[in-house]
Structures are given as structure tokens and as C-alpha cells.
Amino acid sequence: MAIKVFTVFGVRPEAIKMAPVIAELARHKEFSVSVCVTGQHRAMLDQVLRLFNIEPKYDLNIMRERQTLPETFARALTGLGGIFSADRPDIVLVHGDTSTTFAGSLAAFYSQVPIGHVEAGLRTHHKYLPFPEEINRKLTGALADIHFAPTETAKRNLLREGVSDASIYVTGNTVIDALATTVRPDYEYHEPALRQVVAETQGRILLVEVHRRENWGEPMHEMCLALLDILTAFPDCHIVFPVHLNPAVREVVTPHLAGHSRITLLNPLDTDDFHNLMARSYLILTDSGGLQEEAPSLGVPVLVLRNNTERPEAVEAGTVRVVGTSRAGIVAHARELLGDSAAYQAMSKAVNPYGDGKASGRIAKALLHFFGHTTERPWEWTY
Ligand code: UD1
Ligand code: UDP
């Protein structure tokens, strides 16, 4: 009998990072893999499902406009609990640190089904930063039976929390696997507005993406003012900003930035468009987690609009800088990079601390090891 694997996810980045795992497991006759989505995101999830041709077996469709943390979690827990008790998998794979991640882990635990945690062990060591992701991933780590740590740093975080060495596999991050399938030198954008802005922009493109819950309100307001200051100081720069569909983000960003002749606000882009836009950009300003992993391998510097990061590897490698959320701080760092080509060059080297594009293969091998189909542990990702 094939090992019955349920992959569980609900939001855009989880889908992007689970897509290569699903494709890899489907290549092995030892696995039968099904996809359960909570639909915590709707349009932004569906974009990714379409791109990677993923057809969920179960779709809980839980998203509501301005959903709260407790109601999202409760709907995901109840729905997934029902699925796991009726159609028992041999293992549930969850990803990262969202409400869906923790609900999926807890639902699997309640059904006494083993849990594999993809992208395990990321930590800031601050309870509320990011909120609620730091605690979601810690609680998921407490429940998981097998931990796919993307880096050695993530593994060390887990060991410090008492997770057994034998249950951790260092795999690299599956987002690098996804990136290898999307970025091409001859790529043609399918979003017409993006195609137009890239064709018409002579100067430098600054790519912006922000959405973190702890940045809603005042910090996001400061970020928008900083972006306007940066454009005033550098008349050759043009901002492209695909705005997250969350109303809490849009109601700050749109009034500040819409209508400016050197700002293009877009709806969330398909991931292949977005990855190729990243590769074409001069600088990225973001509070996103995934972008901090993708940009280094493309050689594009990132200013992280947060006060800390759970992804220290690229900071140590010198391609990512954590600059906080104050208007003055963001502008000072951007001025340095945009005005001083030596400072920019020092940051724009391509580095790959997050993987070699083979993380999904290691996850498949680790699962075969976990279920006793092989006695050999897979080779691990080192940087
Ligand atoms: C969620 C995750 C966050 C992750 C982010 C990725 C939690 C608590 N947060 O945050 O860790 O970084 O996704 O983007 O799990 N919306 C739509 N359409 C969509 C998606 C969102 O309209 O396709 C709107 C809805 O009004 C929804 C709101 O955005 O209620 C917030 O979505 P939610 O998943 O709760 O939070 P995110 O901020 O997206
Ligand atoms: N992304 C995308 N379209 C966009 C913006 C981002 O496909 O318009 C991708 C991006 O390449 C990355 C992921 O979405 O893989 C990041 O998602 P997000 O920033 O929403 O979440 P986080 O990584 O912070 O959890």
C-alpha cells in the first residue's frame, strides 16, 4: 500500500512552497498524495493552484472578508478535523506558520495522525514578532513528528527546544525549487499592466510588497511616506507594488500612493510574473518572509521593513538588511543603496543560503526513511 500523504495549506506562500513537494511526491510510486486546502486565502491561493496545476481533493473555502484569527483558526481546525477522521491519511504535511499550519497540525494530532512540518524551525525568539506566526510555528514544532528544517540555523533552533536530532532533516527551502521553474531570461509577463510598466520604465524599478499584521496601521503609514520620500530623492526610480488583497493593507496603501506618476499599484501578481519581476528589479522593499528567501538567489538586494527576521542567513551573507519601519530609517538605508553604487554592489551578489532547488527531493527521501522504506538518511542541504 502506498503511503497516504495529505498536504495541507491555505495561503499563497504555503501553496508556492508546497507545490514542488506535491510534484515530487507524485513522482514516487511509494506515495499517494492528496491536497487539502483550507482556502484561508481565496483569489491569492487560486492563482497558485492554477499556475502549478494543483487540484485539491478537499477545499474548505473558509476565507471571509476581514477574517479574525480565532474564527479562521476555528473554521480550519473543525474542517480539517472532519477530513482527517473520515479519510485517514498516514501523514499530514503542513507548511510554515499560518493559522492553517497550526490548525492542520492540531487537527492531525487530534486524529493521532503523524505530522511533517515543512519549513520548520524558523524563529525570531520574540513572541509577537511576527504575529501570530512565531507562536504558530513553535506550537506546530511541538506537535510535529518529522521536521524539515530549511537551514542549519533552523535545525539549531529546534534542537534548543528539545526536538530530537533524529527527527530533523535539513532540506533547503522548497521555495528555491519553485523559483527554478518560474524565472527565465526570455520570460514574457502575462499581466498587461506589468508588461507595460516594465517596457516603459527606463530607470530603476523598486519592488514593494508589505502585508504583515504587526505593520498594519501606523508602521504601514510610515512605510508609504518613506516610499514617497525615496521617489522625491531619486527621480529615476519607479515603484511597482502588487498590493495584497487584505483591506487592512489596501486602505493605507491606496490613499497614500495611488495616482503618483512613478508608482504602479497592481493586484497580486501570478507567481511566475512576480518572480520574473523580482529578477528585473533593482531593489526590493518588503516585510514578506518568502521574498527574503527568493531575492538573494536572484542577486537582488532586499530592505526588510521589520524590526527583526527569522531568516538571518541572507542578512549574514550581506544581501538582506533589516531596516525597521520608521520613515527616517527606511529612507536612510534606501538613500545609501540607491546613491552609492559601491554599497549597492556589495549587496547585490547572488547567494543561496536557502537551498539548491532540491529540497523537495530531500523531503521525499526523508519521508521514505521515516516510514522505513529505506534505512539511509537522505543527504542534507549545507551552505
Ligand atoms: C496570512 C498569514 C501570514 C502570511 C500571509 C501571506 C495567518 C495568521 N497569516 O496573512 O502568515 O504571511 O497570509 O500572504 O495565517 N484576502 C482576500 N483574498 C485573498 C487573500 C486575502 O480578500 O485571496 C483578504 C480577506 O479580507 C482576508 C484578509 O485578506 O480576511 C486577511 O487574510 P488572512 O489570511 O487572515 O491574513 P493575511 O494577512 O493574508
Ligand atoms: N508573490 C506572488 N505574487 C505577488 C507577491 C508575492 O506570487 O504579487 C509570492 C512571492 O514570490 C513569494 C510569496 O508570494 O513566493 C510571498 O508571499 P507573502 O509575501 O504573501 O507571504 P510571506 O512569505 O510573508 O508569508
Side-chain angles (χ1 to χ4, degrees):
M1 283 280 278
I3 302 161
K4 186 170 165 185
V5 182
F6 279 9
T7 59
V8 173
F9 51 91
V11 305
R12 170 174 68 189
E14 295 172 318
I16 295 165
K17 291 168 164 183
M18 281 300 227
V21 178
I22 295 163
E24 176 65 29
L25 295 182
R27 280 193 275 274
H28 292 256
K29 63 176 181 342
E30 293 90 342
F31 300 111
S32 114
V33 57
S34 299
V35 175
C36 306
V37 298
T38 58
Q40 178 181 331
H41 281 177
R42 191 67 276 166
M44 288 163 63
L45 174 70
D46 291 344
Q47 282 180 299
V48 185
L49 296 178
R50 266 194 309 274
L51 176 66
F52 292 103
N53 292 315
I54 297 171
E55 281 190 28
K57 180 174 185 185
Y58 298 102
D59 187 337
L60 296 170
N61 198 25
I62 65 169
M63 196 197 87
R64 301 290 181 276
E65 177 93 359
R66 294 181 192 268
Q67 60 206 0
T68 65
L69 293 175
E71 69 193 18
T72 307
F73 181 77
R75 277 199 291 272
L77 178 68
T78 311
L80 291 169
I83 292 169
F84 301 159
S85 61
D87 185 6
R88 287 188 68 82
D90 295 315
I91 188 160
V92 165
L93 297 185
V94 294
H95 181 280
D97 51 22
T98 68
S99 297
T100 291
T101 315
F102 178 42
S105 314
L106 194 58
F109 169 67
Y110 285 161
S111 293
Q112 299 190 19
V113 170
I115 300 154
H117 188 194
V118 180
E119 199 180 89
L122 276 62
R123 299 288 185 270
T124 61
H125 309 288
H126 290 272
K127 183 175 179 179
Y128 292 104
L129 294 175
F131 174 75
E133 290 84 359
E134 177 76 358
I135 295 304
N136 281 344
R137 56 199 173 209
K138 281 186 86 162
L139 296 173
T140 300
L143 294 168
D145 301 277
I146 173 166
H147 308 257
F148 305 107
T151 64
E152 281 293 334
T153 308
K155 176 175 177 172
R156 277 196 297 277
N157 288 334
L158 291 167
L159 291 173
R160 239 179 271 130
E161 290 171 15
V163 174
S164 76
D165 199 349
S167 67
I168 307 170
Y169 298 83
V170 181
T171 60
N173 197 304
T174 58
V175 81
I176 306 300
D177 305 16
L179 205 55
T181 67
T182 52
V183 177
R184 288 191 302 277
D186 60 344
Y187 183 80
E188 286 189 24
Y189 299 99
H190 37 99
E191 165 57 46
L194 178 60
R195 205 180 311 133
Q196 186 180 349
V197 65
V198 170
E200 288 175 2
T201 301
Q202 304 295 323
R204 296 178 286 184
I205 291 181
L206 313 182
L207 174 59
V208 178
E209 205 267 325
V210 293
H211 69 276
R212 296 239 83 79
R213 194 168 281 265
E214 63 274 15
N215 286 339
W216 294 356
E218 190 52 30
M220 212 163 276
H221 173 79
E222 287 270 303
M223 288 172 193
C224 290
L225 294 174
L227 294 175
L228 293 169
D229 289 348
I230 293 166
L231 288 186
T232 305
F234 296 95
D236 70 314
C237 287
H238 189 110
I239 287 175
V240 181
F241 186 167
V243 189
H244 194 292
L245 293 180
N246 193 336
V249 174
R250 294 173 92 87
E251 67 199 12
V252 177
V253 167
T254 311
H256 271 299
L257 304 183
H260 191 292
S261 61
R262 283 185 287 123
I263 298 180
T264 303
L265 298 183
L266 299 169
N267 283 323
L269 291 168
D270 285 350
T271 301
D272 47 358
D273 268 3
F274 190 79
H275 282 173
N276 285 279
L277 174 62
M278 286 177 83
R280 162 73 176 77
S281 298
Y282 191 77
L283 178 65
I284 295 172
L285 299 98
T286 191
D287 64 8
S288 162
L291 269 66
Q292 295 175 56
E293 296 155 343
E294 294 163 339
S297 74
L298 300 171
V300 183
V302 179
L303 297 183
V304 178
L305 311 184
R306 292 172 49 179
N307 293 315
N308 57 21
T309 182
E310 59 289 273
R311 293 164 169 92
E313 297 85 353
V315 176
E316 283 153 20
T319 69
V320 166
R321 215 187 266 184
V322 180
V323 303
T325 59
S326 79
R327 176 181 182 175
I330 296 167
V331 173
H333 285 278
R335 268 181 176 280
E336 188 199 337
L337 284 184
L338 295 170
D340 173 352
S341 68
Y344 179 82
Q345 291 307 330
M347 267 189 92
S348 69
K349 54 189 181 289
V351 294
N352 279 313
Y354 297 110
D356 56 358
K358 296 178 180 155
S360 308
R362 293 192 186 90
I363 289 171
K365 289 202 166 67
L367 283 171
L368 291 173
H369 183 247
F370 179 78
F371 281 100
H373 284 242
T374 159
T375 50
E376 241 177 83
R377 282 180 70 90
W379 87 113
E380 297 203 338
W381 160 246
T382 49
Y383 172 68

